[in-house]
């Protein structure tokens, strides 16, 4: 398979306002995109960093994947997103290689991207997100 570039680093935060205070107020980043993704149970803010983004993800409730992650492990690195040309193809290649995937098929992610996740169990402890650019816009 072929990964094009690092797309984003996803950071799980429990309080998006407080986290934004740090990333924007202290680190001086400017938000490029903000979105509530009901399907994934998250409220996200993206910051552009060169060719990639830093993504803050706060849970919409405790009974969501990020909510359960926070309860178990606390705030911190949640996933790493890699850009691929075609997420369906990349997902098939991972599954053919015996990698356990969270998704059976791609779903819609931030800014209309098509995404799929591979389980950390199969990826040395890191949740991996495959990202195919969509028709939407994630800001610049
Ligand atoms: Co992500």
């Amino acid at each position: 398979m072929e990964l094009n570039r690092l797309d984003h680093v996803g950071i799980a935060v429990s309080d998006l306002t407080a986290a934004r205070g740090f990333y924007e107020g202290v680190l001086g980043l400017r938000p490029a995109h903000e979105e509530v993704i009901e399907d994934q149970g998250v409220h996200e803010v993206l910051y552009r960093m060169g060719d990639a983004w830093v993504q803050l993800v706060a849970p919409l409730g405790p009974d969501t994947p990020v909510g359960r992650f926070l309860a178990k492990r606390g705030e911190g690195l949640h996933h790493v997103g890699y850009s691929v040309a075609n997420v369906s193809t990349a997902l098939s290649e991972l599954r053919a290689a015996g990698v356990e995937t969270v998704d059976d098929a791609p779903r819609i992610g931030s800014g209309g991207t098509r995404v799929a996740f591979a389980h950390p169990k199969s990826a040395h402890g890191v949740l991996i997100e495959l990202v195919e650019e969509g028709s939407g816009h994630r800001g610049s």
Side-chain angles (χ1 to χ4, degrees):
M1 73 180 300
E2 190 177 347
L3 304 178
N4 292 331
R5 60 176 175 79
L6 179 67
D7 185 87
H8 66 277
V9 173
I11 298 164
V13 301
S14 48
D15 182 336
L16 191 57
T17 305
R20 289 185 71 159
F22 173 73
Y23 278 88
E24 295 168 30
V26 179
L27 297 186
L29 301 186
R30 288 187 309 140
H33 184 77
E34 180 176 4
E35 187 174 340
V36 171
I37 308 169
E38 297 280 353
D39 175 50
Q40 291 180 25
V42 297
H43 186 170
E44 65 148 27
V45 174
L46 290 177
Y47 302 101
R48 186 92 202 203
M49 293 296 296
D51 287 339
W53 283 268
V54 171
Q55 177 192 41
L56 300 182
V57 287
L60 295 180
D63 193 27
T64 59
V66 174
R68 287 188 289 272
F69 174 93
L70 287 169
K72 201 167 144 193
R73 298 174 58 174
E75 291 187 312
L77 178 66
H78 182 257
H79 65 275
V80 174
Y82 295 101
S83 167
V84 295
N86 184 305
V87 74
S88 300
T89 304
L91 188 60
S92 300
E93 286 172 346
L94 283 183
R95 292 166 72 88
V99 171
E100 188 180 331
T101 58
V102 176
D103 300 297
D104 293 332
R107 47 179 148 144
I108 300 302
S110 171
T113 51
R114 296 177 75 231
V115 304
F117 287 88
H119 202 282
K121 262 192 288 198
S122 294
H124 299 266
V126 178
L127 178 64
I128 288 180
E129 180 179 6
L130 303 170
V131 184
E132 177 185 334
E133 205 59 61
S135 53
H137 184 57
R138 288 184 286 171
S140 54

